[in-house]
Amino acid sequence: MSPRNEEQNEAVKDERREQILSAALRAFASRGFAATKIGDIAARAGLSHGLVYHYFKSKEEIFHALLKRAMHTSTQTLIDIEAAPLPPVEKVRQAAKHILESIENFKDSAYYFLIVAHASVMENAAAEYKELLGSSAVSVQAMARILSAGQRSGEIRDGDAVGMAYTFFAALLGLALYKLSARDFKTPDPEILVNMVKK
Amino acid sequence: MSPRNEEQNEAVKDERREQILSAALRAFASRGFAATKIGDIAARAGLSHGLVYHYFKSKEEIFHALLKRAMHTSTQTLIDIEAAPLPPVEKVRQAAKHILESIENFKDSAYYFLIVAHASVMENAAAEYKELLGSSAVSVQAMARILSAGQRSGEIRDGDAVGMAYTFFAALLGLALYKLSARDFKTPDPEILVNMVKK
DNA sequence: GTCTATATCCAGATAGAC
DNA sequence: GTCTATCTGGATATAGAC
């Protein structure tokens, strides 16, 4: 009843939400939306099946919450790298290293990456998530700008910069999927990705 | 009752099976196993929901049949290219061109490619499909051999050939997924992939 | 706030008419 | 061989006890 209790309750409430979201992130990213059962999420989060519905209205709402975070975190990484005072090739290297390292070590950011991919192929949701997914092109556009700058300064190969940017992220997406299907798969040397665009 | 009728029945039976498999290929590859409903497949194939079960014992059996074909067709392509009398770089180029073209034009082979990816991340099925998926490494190994040969002849960059081979296929997998989520996405110039490994 | 038990719904699979 | 109608299981979501 005291204010302190209320604050604690709030803290517990937030903690529970985070537990659920954290469990759901791994589950959705690994198995996709349809194959993920609420029971899976609850078990992973260490709470009862019914309690999930105390914190979220529906399975879909959980996914939506994750997708929002996913869009933010993945675009932010690229925006930060683009703004860094580095030569274009080095920016590409940093991006490749950073993302590959997150995949290799099963960091959240790698799973967010996969959430976006899953959302993209959910055609029924496409309408609903359209605005959110629209910003998924942000990372690609940032990378394309980095590559264009590198082409002007002669460090990056000539050719379609946007196509290269897509291929860069496609490779990372594919590698994340490989890592998921075989946990002992070793992510490759980032330099392989740098070579794709370096002159 | 006449032999001819029996033959015709056989032909019809085969045709129906193919209709179902063809519809299922697109559906499974696009949405994954769990999100694909038998009703979707039946509707796409232009027949009733119940009839699917006249030709296949279960949804899983359909997926399994597709996976078997997928393993065969995708490995065969790389085996053929490896055996061709071409310099290593040219083999890489042919592989990139061939697969990208199949993605761009929504050919079956591109969907088979995705079926394998879906099967790989179905952890419950991993045990059952293990033998089948084991051969999915065949394409990667073939590409790695091509790259190693190119390294010896000086056409291909030094470095981990297996890692390069995985990254090559990872990029193609990612691009196939992009193409699926945005049908007007234009697959990039194959040369971008060749550049990844070319000296 | 948390759990267990229950209702509801949906999709896989079957049965039986034609 | 093909369809429609039905059964059944399992998963989402809710209700109610603690």
PDB file of all heavy atoms in Angstrom, chain A residues 16 47-48 51 54-55, chain C residues 1-6:
ATOM      1  N   ARG A  16       9.066  -8.580 -15.322  1.00  0.00           N
ATOM      2  CA  ARG A  16       8.318  -9.681 -15.942  1.00  0.00           C
ATOM      3  C   ARG A  16       8.170  -9.469 -17.442  1.00  0.00           C
ATOM      4  O   ARG A  16       8.370 -10.369 -18.234  1.00  0.00           O
ATOM      5  CB  ARG A  16       6.930  -9.797 -15.311  1.00  0.00           C
ATOM      6  CG  ARG A  16       6.910 -10.363 -13.921  1.00  0.00           C
ATOM      7  CD  ARG A  16       6.934 -11.870 -13.930  1.00  0.00           C
ATOM      8  NE  ARG A  16       7.085 -12.383 -12.579  1.00  0.00           N
ATOM      9  CZ  ARG A  16       8.234 -12.484 -11.945  1.00  0.00           C
ATOM     10  NH1 ARG A  16       9.353 -12.104 -12.545  1.00  0.00           N
ATOM     11  NH2 ARG A  16       8.291 -12.963 -10.722  1.00  0.00           N
ATOM     12  N   LEU A  47       7.777 -18.799 -16.118  1.00  0.00           N
ATOM     13  CA  LEU A  47       6.498 -18.461 -15.477  1.00  0.00           C
ATOM     14  C   LEU A  47       5.368 -19.212 -16.169  1.00  0.00           C
ATOM     15  O   LEU A  47       5.580 -19.871 -17.174  1.00  0.00           O
ATOM     16  CB  LEU A  47       6.265 -16.948 -15.479  1.00  0.00           C
ATOM     17  CG  LEU A  47       6.744 -16.148 -16.685  1.00  0.00           C
ATOM     18  CD1 LEU A  47       5.739 -16.256 -17.811  1.00  0.00           C
ATOM     19  CD2 LEU A  47       6.944 -14.697 -16.312  1.00  0.00           C
ATOM     20  N   SER A  48       4.199 -19.063 -15.585  1.00  0.00           N
ATOM     21  CA  SER A  48       3.109 -19.884 -16.099  1.00  0.00           C
ATOM     22  C   SER A  48       2.542 -19.336 -17.403  1.00  0.00           C
ATOM     23  O   SER A  48       2.590 -18.126 -17.671  1.00  0.00           O
ATOM     24  CB  SER A  48       1.995 -19.973 -15.075  1.00  0.00           C
ATOM     25  OG  SER A  48       1.156 -18.853 -15.196  1.00  0.00           O
ATOM     26  N   LEU A  51       0.071 -16.486 -17.183  1.00  0.00           N
ATOM     27  CA  LEU A  51       0.572 -15.186 -16.748  1.00  0.00           C
ATOM     28  C   LEU A  51       1.031 -14.311 -17.910  1.00  0.00           C
ATOM     29  O   LEU A  51       0.992 -13.074 -17.813  1.00  0.00           O
ATOM     30  CB  LEU A  51       1.719 -15.374 -15.754  1.00  0.00           C
ATOM     31  CG  LEU A  51       2.186 -14.111 -15.017  1.00  0.00           C
ATOM     32  CD1 LEU A  51       1.038 -13.433 -14.303  1.00  0.00           C
ATOM     33  CD2 LEU A  51       3.290 -14.455 -14.035  1.00  0.00           C
ATOM     34  N   HIS A  54      -1.350 -11.834 -18.725  1.00  0.00           N
ATOM     35  CA  HIS A  54      -1.529 -10.720 -17.796  1.00  0.00           C
ATOM     36  C   HIS A  54      -0.699  -9.526 -18.271  1.00  0.00           C
ATOM     37  O   HIS A  54      -1.036  -8.380 -17.992  1.00  0.00           O
ATOM     38  CB  HIS A  54      -1.101 -11.148 -16.400  1.00  0.00           C
ATOM     39  CG  HIS A  54      -1.376 -10.122 -15.351  1.00  0.00           C
ATOM     40  ND1 HIS A  54      -2.642  -9.861 -14.901  1.00  0.00           N
ATOM     41  CD2 HIS A  54      -0.557  -9.285 -14.683  1.00  0.00           C
ATOM     42  CE1 HIS A  54      -2.584  -8.913 -13.987  1.00  0.00           C
ATOM     43  NE2 HIS A  54      -1.335  -8.540 -13.836  1.00  0.00           N
ATOM     44  N   TYR A  55       0.370  -9.817 -19.001  1.00  0.00           N
ATOM     45  CA  TYR A  55       1.279  -8.758 -19.425  1.00  0.00           C
ATOM     46  C   TYR A  55       1.123  -8.361 -20.878  1.00  0.00           C
ATOM     47  O   TYR A  55       1.476  -7.252 -21.255  1.00  0.00           O
ATOM     48  CB  TYR A  55       2.723  -9.173 -19.149  1.00  0.00           C
ATOM     49  CG  TYR A  55       3.018  -9.236 -17.673  1.00  0.00           C
ATOM     50  CD1 TYR A  55       2.966 -10.433 -16.968  1.00  0.00           C
ATOM     51  CD2 TYR A  55       3.299  -8.070 -16.972  1.00  0.00           C
ATOM     52  CE1 TYR A  55       3.221 -10.475 -15.615  1.00  0.00           C
ATOM     53  CE2 TYR A  55       3.546  -8.098 -15.614  1.00  0.00           C
ATOM     54  CZ  TYR A  55       3.500  -9.304 -14.935  1.00  0.00           C
ATOM     55  OH  TYR A  55       3.729  -9.329 -13.599  1.00  0.00           O
TER      56      TYR A  55
ATOM     57  P    DG C   1       0.350  -6.643 -10.940  1.00  0.00           P
ATOM     58  OP1  DG C   1       1.354  -6.433 -11.795  1.00  0.00           O
ATOM     59  OP2  DG C   1      -0.963  -6.190 -10.671  1.00  0.00           O
ATOM     60  O5'  DG C   1       0.615  -7.753  -9.804  1.00  0.00           O
ATOM     61  C5'  DG C   1       1.777  -7.877  -9.128  1.00  0.00           C
ATOM     62  C4'  DG C   1       2.059  -9.342  -8.907  1.00  0.00           C
ATOM     63  O4'  DG C   1       0.921 -10.028  -8.305  1.00  0.00           O
ATOM     64  C3'  DG C   1       2.407 -10.133 -10.158  1.00  0.00           C
ATOM     65  O3'  DG C   1       3.401 -11.074  -9.755  1.00  0.00           O
ATOM     66  C2'  DG C   1       1.107 -10.834 -10.520  1.00  0.00           C
ATOM     67  C1'  DG C   1       0.493 -11.090  -9.159  1.00  0.00           C
ATOM     68  N9   DG C   1      -0.978 -11.084  -9.145  1.00  0.00           N
ATOM     69  C8   DG C   1      -1.826 -10.191  -9.728  1.00  0.00           C
ATOM     70  N7   DG C   1      -3.085 -10.456  -9.503  1.00  0.00           N
ATOM     71  C5   DG C   1      -3.062 -11.601  -8.711  1.00  0.00           C
ATOM     72  C6   DG C   1      -4.121 -12.376  -8.140  1.00  0.00           C
ATOM     73  O6   DG C   1      -5.332 -12.184  -8.228  1.00  0.00           O
ATOM     74  N1   DG C   1      -3.633 -13.457  -7.402  1.00  0.00           N
ATOM     75  C2   DG C   1      -2.308 -13.748  -7.229  1.00  0.00           C
ATOM     76  N2   DG C   1      -2.030 -14.823  -6.478  1.00  0.00           N
ATOM     77  N3   DG C   1      -1.311 -13.041  -7.748  1.00  0.00           N
ATOM     78  C4   DG C   1      -1.766 -11.996  -8.479  1.00  0.00           C
ATOM     79  P    DT C   2       4.180 -11.910 -10.754  1.00  0.00           P
ATOM     80  OP1  DT C   2       5.545 -12.119 -10.213  1.00  0.00           O
ATOM     81  OP2  DT C   2       3.989 -11.310 -12.069  1.00  0.00           O
ATOM     82  O5'  DT C   2       3.458 -13.322 -10.705  1.00  0.00           O
ATOM     83  C5'  DT C   2       3.564 -14.133  -9.529  1.00  0.00           C
ATOM     84  C4'  DT C   2       2.589 -15.276  -9.613  1.00  0.00           C
ATOM     85  O4'  DT C   2       1.232 -14.788  -9.530  1.00  0.00           O
ATOM     86  C3'  DT C   2       2.627 -16.074 -10.920  1.00  0.00           C
ATOM     87  O3'  DT C   2       3.354 -17.277 -10.703  1.00  0.00           O
ATOM     88  C2'  DT C   2       1.161 -16.343 -11.260  1.00  0.00           C
ATOM     89  C1'  DT C   2       0.410 -15.796 -10.059  1.00  0.00           C
ATOM     90  N1   DT C   2      -0.908 -15.185 -10.374  1.00  0.00           N
ATOM     91  C2   DT C   2      -2.039 -15.765  -9.877  1.00  0.00           C
ATOM     92  O2   DT C   2      -2.033 -16.745  -9.176  1.00  0.00           O
ATOM     93  N3   DT C   2      -3.210 -15.135 -10.231  1.00  0.00           N
ATOM     94  C4   DT C   2      -3.342 -14.007 -11.029  1.00  0.00           C
ATOM     95  O4   DT C   2      -4.441 -13.537 -11.272  1.00  0.00           O
ATOM     96  C5   DT C   2      -2.105 -13.452 -11.511  1.00  0.00           C
ATOM     97  C7   DT C   2      -2.134 -12.237 -12.393  1.00  0.00           C
ATOM     98  C6   DT C   2      -0.959 -14.060 -11.172  1.00  0.00           C
ATOM     99  P    DC C   3       3.495 -18.339 -11.897  1.00  0.00           P
ATOM    100  OP1  DC C   3       4.737 -19.108 -11.687  1.00  0.00           O
ATOM    101  OP2  DC C   3       3.279 -17.636 -13.181  1.00  0.00           O
ATOM    102  O5'  DC C   3       2.240 -19.298 -11.625  1.00  0.00           O
ATOM    103  C5'  DC C   3       2.208 -20.069 -10.428  1.00  0.00           C
ATOM    104  C4'  DC C   3       0.834 -20.685 -10.232  1.00  0.00           C
ATOM    105  O4'  DC C   3      -0.149 -19.625 -10.300  1.00  0.00           O
ATOM    106  C3'  DC C   3       0.461 -21.675 -11.326  1.00  0.00           C
ATOM    107  O3'  DC C   3       0.550 -23.012 -10.837  1.00  0.00           O
ATOM    108  C2'  DC C   3      -0.975 -21.339 -11.690  1.00  0.00           C
ATOM    109  C1'  DC C   3      -1.343 -20.150 -10.859  1.00  0.00           C
ATOM    110  N1   DC C   3      -1.954 -19.078 -11.688  1.00  0.00           N
ATOM    111  C2   DC C   3      -3.328 -18.838 -11.606  1.00  0.00           C
ATOM    112  O2   DC C   3      -4.000 -19.528 -10.834  1.00  0.00           O
ATOM    113  N3   DC C   3      -3.890 -17.873 -12.365  1.00  0.00           N
ATOM    114  C4   DC C   3      -3.124 -17.154 -13.188  1.00  0.00           C
ATOM    115  N4   DC C   3      -3.721 -16.200 -13.911  1.00  0.00           N
ATOM    116  C5   DC C   3      -1.722 -17.374 -13.300  1.00  0.00           C
ATOM    117  C6   DC C   3      -1.182 -18.339 -12.554  1.00  0.00           C
ATOM    118  P    DT C   4       0.274 -24.202 -11.890  1.00  0.00           P
ATOM    119  OP1  DT C   4       0.990 -25.380 -11.376  1.00  0.00           O
ATOM    120  OP2  DT C   4       0.524 -23.706 -13.268  1.00  0.00           O
ATOM    121  O5'  DT C   4      -1.308 -24.440 -11.781  1.00  0.00           O
ATOM    122  C5'  DT C   4      -1.948 -24.571 -10.526  1.00  0.00           C
ATOM    123  C4'  DT C   4      -3.418 -24.866 -10.756  1.00  0.00           C
ATOM    124  O4'  DT C   4      -4.088 -23.679 -11.275  1.00  0.00           O
ATOM    125  C3'  DT C   4      -3.717 -25.971 -11.764  1.00  0.00           C
ATOM    126  O3'  DT C   4      -4.881 -26.671 -11.334  1.00  0.00           O
ATOM    127  C2'  DT C   4      -3.970 -25.226 -13.056  1.00  0.00           C
ATOM    128  C1'  DT C   4      -4.667 -23.964 -12.535  1.00  0.00           C
ATOM    129  N1   DT C   4      -4.485 -22.750 -13.373  1.00  0.00           N
ATOM    130  C2   DT C   4      -5.568 -21.939 -13.636  1.00  0.00           C
ATOM    131  O2   DT C   4      -6.689 -22.178 -13.226  1.00  0.00           O
ATOM    132  N3   DT C   4      -5.288 -20.838 -14.403  1.00  0.00           N
ATOM    133  C4   DT C   4      -4.064 -20.465 -14.925  1.00  0.00           C
ATOM    134  O4   DT C   4      -3.950 -19.449 -15.596  1.00  0.00           O
ATOM    135  C5   DT C   4      -2.972 -21.359 -14.611  1.00  0.00           C
ATOM    136  C7   DT C   4      -1.604 -21.049 -15.131  1.00  0.00           C
ATOM    137  C6   DT C   4      -3.226 -22.447 -13.863  1.00  0.00           C
ATOM    138  P    DA C   5      -5.455 -27.920 -12.198  1.00  0.00           P
ATOM    139  OP1  DA C   5      -5.829 -28.976 -11.230  1.00  0.00           O
ATOM    140  OP2  DA C   5      -4.536 -28.230 -13.301  1.00  0.00           O
ATOM    141  O5'  DA C   5      -6.784 -27.303 -12.809  1.00  0.00           O
ATOM    142  C5'  DA C   5      -7.655 -26.564 -11.959  1.00  0.00           C
ATOM    143  C4'  DA C   5      -8.842 -26.065 -12.764  1.00  0.00           C
ATOM    144  O4'  DA C   5      -8.446 -24.890 -13.511  1.00  0.00           O
ATOM    145  C3'  DA C   5      -9.376 -27.062 -13.792  1.00  0.00           C
ATOM    146  O3'  DA C   5     -10.788 -26.942 -13.856  1.00  0.00           O
ATOM    147  C2'  DA C   5      -8.697 -26.615 -15.090  1.00  0.00           C
ATOM    148  C1'  DA C   5      -8.663 -25.101 -14.896  1.00  0.00           C
ATOM    149  N9   DA C   5      -7.593 -24.413 -15.609  1.00  0.00           N
ATOM    150  C8   DA C   5      -6.281 -24.780 -15.718  1.00  0.00           C
ATOM    151  N7   DA C   5      -5.551 -23.945 -16.425  1.00  0.00           N
ATOM    152  C5   DA C   5      -6.453 -22.962 -16.807  1.00  0.00           C
ATOM    153  C6   DA C   5      -6.315 -21.793 -17.581  1.00  0.00           C
ATOM    154  N6   DA C   5      -5.152 -21.405 -18.116  1.00  0.00           N
ATOM    155  N1   DA C   5      -7.418 -21.027 -17.762  1.00  0.00           N
ATOM    156  C2   DA C   5      -8.581 -21.417 -17.225  1.00  0.00           C
ATOM    157  N3   DA C   5      -8.834 -22.495 -16.477  1.00  0.00           N
ATOM    158  C4   DA C   5      -7.709 -23.236 -16.311  1.00  0.00           C
ATOM    159  P    DT C   6     -11.621 -27.883 -14.861  1.00  0.00           P
ATOM    160  OP1  DT C   6     -12.843 -28.314 -14.161  1.00  0.00           O
ATOM    161  OP2  DT C   6     -10.724 -28.855 -15.503  1.00  0.00           O
ATOM    162  O5'  DT C   6     -12.065 -26.805 -15.950  1.00  0.00           O
ATOM    163  C5'  DT C   6     -12.598 -25.562 -15.491  1.00  0.00           C
ATOM    164  C4'  DT C   6     -12.818 -24.657 -16.679  1.00  0.00           C
ATOM    165  O4'  DT C   6     -11.555 -24.152 -17.157  1.00  0.00           O
ATOM    166  C3'  DT C   6     -13.503 -25.320 -17.876  1.00  0.00           C
ATOM    167  O3'  DT C   6     -14.619 -24.523 -18.224  1.00  0.00           O
ATOM    168  C2'  DT C   6     -12.429 -25.337 -18.954  1.00  0.00           C
ATOM    169  C1'  DT C   6     -11.597 -24.120 -18.568  1.00  0.00           C
ATOM    170  N1   DT C   6     -10.186 -24.125 -19.045  1.00  0.00           N
ATOM    171  C2   DT C   6      -9.740 -23.068 -19.796  1.00  0.00           C
ATOM    172  O2   DT C   6     -10.457 -22.123 -20.098  1.00  0.00           O
ATOM    173  N3   DT C   6      -8.420 -23.151 -20.180  1.00  0.00           N
ATOM    174  C4   DT C   6      -7.531 -24.166 -19.894  1.00  0.00           C
ATOM    175  O4   DT C   6      -6.383 -24.129 -20.291  1.00  0.00           O
ATOM    176  C5   DT C   6      -8.060 -25.254 -19.106  1.00  0.00           C
ATOM    177  C7   DT C   6      -7.191 -26.401 -18.739  1.00  0.00           C
ATOM    178  C6   DT C   6      -9.352 -25.181 -18.726  1.00  0.00           C
TER     179       DT C   6
END
